[in-house]
C-alpha cells in the first residue's frame, strides 16, 4: 500500500483525490497540506479521508510522514521548490502542469529526480483520453504519410474575474497566460503526436483581460523538417472549440475524429470521392482503439502507481514536462523578440533562465484585484 500526500488542496487537488480513491487496494491518502488555514481540513472532510492528517506547510508534512508519493497541486511558481524538496525527502512526485515556468527550474527538478532515483511525472491528463489515444494510434500507424500541416486550437474562454485570483495574471506568480497554463495541454499533445519542431515564430496579445499583466492570446507557427503547424493558445474563444487537425501526405485526420483523403485527377485537381479505401482503413484503425480503463487524471495517476509497482518510468515523465516548457518558452521568446526562435533552447540561451521572461515580458495591463479564493466550481476541460 502506497502512502500518499497532497500538497495544495485547491481546485485541481479534487481530481487527484478522486483518482487516488479509484485505487483503494494500492494507495491510501494519509496527509494533506495547504498554506491556507482550514483548506486541507475541508478537502479531508469532503473526501471522507478520516485517518488523514492535515498540515499548513509541506515541509512539516514531508518531515512528519513516511510518504511514498505526493501530488503537488499548487500554483506553477511553487512547483520546482516543492518537487525538489519532496524528491530529496525520498518521495515520488506527481506535479501538476505546467512543470515550472522556466527551463532552468525544470532542469533542477530533473536533477533532483535523477539524484533521488525516485519517479517524477508531470500532469498531462489529456494523453489519457480515448479520442487523443485514438488519434495517436492512427498517426503512429504511418498510414497518412509524411506530415504537411497541423492546426492545433487550444481554445478556452475565461471571464475577467478569472484573473482576480491572487496568483493568476502576473508573470511572476502565474508565469504567463494561456500559452503556459492552458495550451500546455495541447503543446504536450503536439509534441507527443508530432515531435519537437525545429523553429518557432509567434505573436501574442491581451485581447480581453484588462486586469492581467499576461497575454490572453498567442498564435504560433511551428516549423518541422518539411511540415508546418499553427498553434492558437487562447482564453478569449467563445465556444471553446478545441481541435487538432493533422494533414498528411495521403490523408487528414483530426480530433474530434474526422478523416479525409484526396486523390488527384490527371491534371492534379482533386478527384471526386477521394481515396475511399484509405478512408475506410483509417476509420477501421480508429475504431480498433480499445477504450482506456481509466481516463484523465485517474488514467495518469493509475499509470504512475503501476510504474512504481513495476519499477519502470511513467508514461509522462519529467523530460516530457520540460519539452512542453521549452516550446512555451520559445513562443514567448519569439513573440517578445519578434523573431524566429530555434530549438532546442540550451542552458547558454538567456531564455533558459528564470529571470529573462520576467525582465522582458510586456505588462499588458496592471493586475487590479487579488482575492485569496473564489466561489464556484472550477471546470477542468472545455465546457462544450
Ligand atoms: N490539469 C489540469 O487540467 C489543471 C486544471 C486546473 C489547474 N491546474 C494546475 O494546478 C495547479 C493549481 O491550480 P488550482 O486551480 O488548483 O489552484 P488553486 O488556487 O485552486 O489551488 C492551489 C492551492 O495551493 C495552495 N498553496 C499555494 N502554495 C502552497 C505551498 N507552498 N504549499 C502548500 N499549499 C500551497 C493554495 O493555498 C491553494 O489552496 C496549477 O499549476 C494549475 O495550472 C491543472
Amino acid at each position: 500500500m502506497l502512502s500518499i500526500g497532497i500538497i495544495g488542496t485547491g481546485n485541481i487537488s479534487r481530481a487527484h483525490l478522486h483518482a487516488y480513491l479509484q485505487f483503494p487496494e494500492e494507495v491510501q491518502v494519509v496527509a494533506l497540506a495547504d498554506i491556507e488555514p482550514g483548506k486541507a481540513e475541508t478537502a479531508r472532510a469532503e473526501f471522507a479521508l478520516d485517518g488523514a492528517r492535515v498540515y499548513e506547510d509541506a515541509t512539516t508534512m514531508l518531515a512528519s510522514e513516511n510518504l511514498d508519493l505526493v501530488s503537488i497541486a499548487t500554483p506553477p511558481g511553487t512547483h520546482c521548490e516543492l518537487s525538489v524538496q519532496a524528491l530529496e525527502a525520498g518521495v515520488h512526485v506527481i506535479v501538476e502542469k505546467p512543470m515550472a515556468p522556466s527551463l532552468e527550474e525544470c532542469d533542477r527538478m530533473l536533477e533532483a529526480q535523477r539524484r533521488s532515483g525516485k519517479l517524477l511525472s508531470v500532469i498531462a491528463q489529456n494523453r489519457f483520453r480515448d479520442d487523443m489515444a485514438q488519434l495517436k494510434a492512427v498517426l503512429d500507424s504511418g498510414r497518412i504519410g509524411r506530415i504537411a500541416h497541423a492546426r492545433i486550437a487550444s481554445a478556452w474562454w475565461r471571464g475577467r474575474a478569472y484573473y482576480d485570483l491572487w496568483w493568476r495574471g502576473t508573470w511572476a506568480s502565474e508565469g504567463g497566460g494561456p500559452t503556459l497554463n492552458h495550451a500546455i495541454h495541447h503543446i504536450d499533445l503536439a509534441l507527443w503526436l508530432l515531435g519537437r519542431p525545429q523553429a518557432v515564430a509567434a505573436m501574442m496579445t491581451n485581447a480581453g483581460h484588462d486586469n492581467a499583466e499576461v497575454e490572453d492570446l498567442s498564435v504560433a507557427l511551428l516549423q518541422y523538417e518539411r511540415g508546418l503547424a499553427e498553434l492558437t493558445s487562447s482564453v478569449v474563444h467563445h465556444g471553446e472549440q478545441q481541435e487538432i487537425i493533422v494533414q498528411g501526405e495521403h490523408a487528414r485526420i483530426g480530433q474530434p475524429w474526422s478523416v479525409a483523403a484526396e486523390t488527384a485527377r490527371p491534371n492534379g485537381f482533386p478527384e471526386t470521392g477521394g481515396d475511399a479505401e484509405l478512408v475506410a482503413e483509417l476509420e477501421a484503425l480508429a475504431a480498433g482503439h480499445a477504450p482506456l480503463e481509466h481516463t484523465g487524471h485517474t488514467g495518469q495517476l493509475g499509470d504512475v502507481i503501476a510504474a512504481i509497482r513495476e519499477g519502470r518510468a511513467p508514461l509522462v515523465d519529467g523530460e516530457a514536462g520540460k519539452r512542453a516548457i521549452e516550446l512555451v518558452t520559445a513562443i514567448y521568446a519569439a513573440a517578445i523578440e519578434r523573431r524566429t526562435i530555434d530549438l532546442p533552447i540550451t542552458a547558454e540561451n538567456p531564455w533558459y533562465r528564470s529571470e529573462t521572461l520576467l525582465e522582458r515580458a510586456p505588462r499588458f495591463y496592471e493586475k487590479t484585484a487579488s482575492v485569496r479564493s473564489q466561489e464556484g466550481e472550477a471546470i477542468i476541460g472545455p465546457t462544450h
Side-chain angles (χ1 to χ4, degrees):
M1 183 71 79
L2 299 175
S3 294
I4 309 290
I6 310 285
I7 304 179
T9 57
N11 292 327
I12 203 63
S13 69
R14 270 60 190 168
H16 292 249
L17 286 165
H18 171 79
Y20 285 126
L21 291 176
Q22 309 312 304
F23 305 100
E25 310 284 298
E26 294 197 77
V27 303
Q28 188 183 9
V29 177
V30 300
L32 307 104
D34 197 294
I35 50 168
E36 205 60 47
K39 264 189 116 166
E41 178 55 45
T42 304
R44 175 172 72 167
E46 191 182 318
F47 285 85
L49 303 167
D50 296 335
R53 291 157 294 277
V54 297
Y55 296 88
E56 282 185 13
D57 74 283
T59 310
T60 313
M61 181 177 89
L62 289 166
S64 316
E65 300 282 339
N66 192 11
L67 300 172
D68 296 299
L69 169 65
V70 288
S71 273
I72 299 177
T74 55
T78 64
H79 289 178
C80 176
E81 198 189 313
L82 290 167
S83 300
V84 170
Q85 216 183 318
L87 289 163
E88 284 178 350
V91 180
H92 299 292
V93 169
I94 298 176
V95 62
E96 260 301 335
K97 62 74 188 165
M99 182 167 174
S102 72
L103 287 166
E104 189 178 5
E105 290 166 287
C106 293
D107 272 346
R108 279 185 52 210
M109 294 161 80
L110 286 167
E111 278 158 28
Q113 185 269 319
R114 282 190 284 269
R115 270 199 314 271
S116 68
K118 295 289 158 183
L119 172 161
L120 171 65
S121 183
V122 181
I123 287 292
Q125 83 268 21
N126 290 293
R127 290 198 198 183
F128 299 83
R129 266 170 56 169
D130 282 307
D131 53 354
M132 300 300 181
Q134 185 183 49
L135 188 68
K136 168 84 172 154
V138 180
L139 259 180
D140 285 355
S141 76
R143 290 297 290 119
I144 75 166
R146 194 177 55 243
I147 307 302
H149 182 260
R151 191 168 82 219
I152 301 155
S154 198
W156 307 77
W157 189 90
R158 293 290 183 268
R160 207 174 170 279
Y162 182 78
Y163 284 108
D164 288 341
L165 191 67
W166 65 275
W167 62 265
R168 292 200 192 117
T170 69
W171 293 100
S173 59
E174 194 178 0
T179 314
L180 176 70
N181 292 293
H182 296 75
I184 194 91
H185 292 295
H186 281 92
I187 286 171
D188 173 74
L189 291 169
L191 291 163
W192 184 52
L193 296 167
L194 308 171
R196 184 198 236 164
Q198 297 175 334
V200 177
M203 285 194 182
M204 67 176 176
T205 185
N206 179 316
H209 295 84
D210 61 4
N211 56 342
E213 285 182 1
V214 295
E215 92 287 2
D216 61 8
L217 174 65
S218 73
V219 178
L221 293 177
L222 317 181
Q223 184 181 29
Y224 291 84
E225 206 167 317
R226 279 188 71 184
L228 296 175
E230 43 186 301
L231 165 71
T232 299
S233 308
S234 169
V235 284
V236 298
H237 271 54
H238 292 274
E240 301 190 309
Q241 210 172 348
Q242 304 187 351
E243 62 180 4
I244 300 175
I245 297 176
V246 184
Q247 302 285 349
E249 201 181 346
H250 310 303
R252 175 202 85 201
I253 54 172
Q255 176 283 323
W257 177 249
S258 70
V259 53
E262 306 288 358
T263 50
R265 297 172 193 234
N267 64 357
F269 281 77
E271 190 68 79
T272 312
D275 189 342
E277 212 172 293
L278 178 57
V279 167
E281 195 188 324
L282 293 167
E283 290 283 12
L285 271 172
H289 161 76
L292 300 167
E293 193 183 345
H294 296 291
T295 58
H297 278 79
T298 307
Q300 184 164 354
L301 270 52
D303 172 67
V304 170
I305 294 164
I308 294 171
R309 183 182 353 99
E310 295 161 15
R312 61 163 171 86
L315 289 175
V316 189
D317 60 11
E319 290 290 345
K322 180 187 164 186
R323 278 194 292 278
I325 295 302
E326 179 182 55
L327 192 41
V328 170
T329 304
I331 294 170
Y332 284 145
I336 293 166
E337 295 197 345
R338 304 180 86 82
R339 66 178 176 89
T340 302
I341 303 291
D342 292 322
L343 297 185
I345 297 177
T346 55
E348 300 75 51
N349 189 319
W351 285 95
Y352 174 90
R353 294 171 31 239
S354 314
E355 300 80 39
T356 306
L357 184 63
L358 285 181
E359 285 161 11
R360 300 188 193 176
R363 270 57 179 174
F364 286 105
Y365 294 94
E366 197 181 328
K367 181 169 163 71
T368 47
S370 186
V371 299
R372 291 306 293 180
S373 63
Q374 290 176 314
E375 289 300 308
E377 190 196 351
I379 296 153
I380 304 171
T383 44
H384 305 270

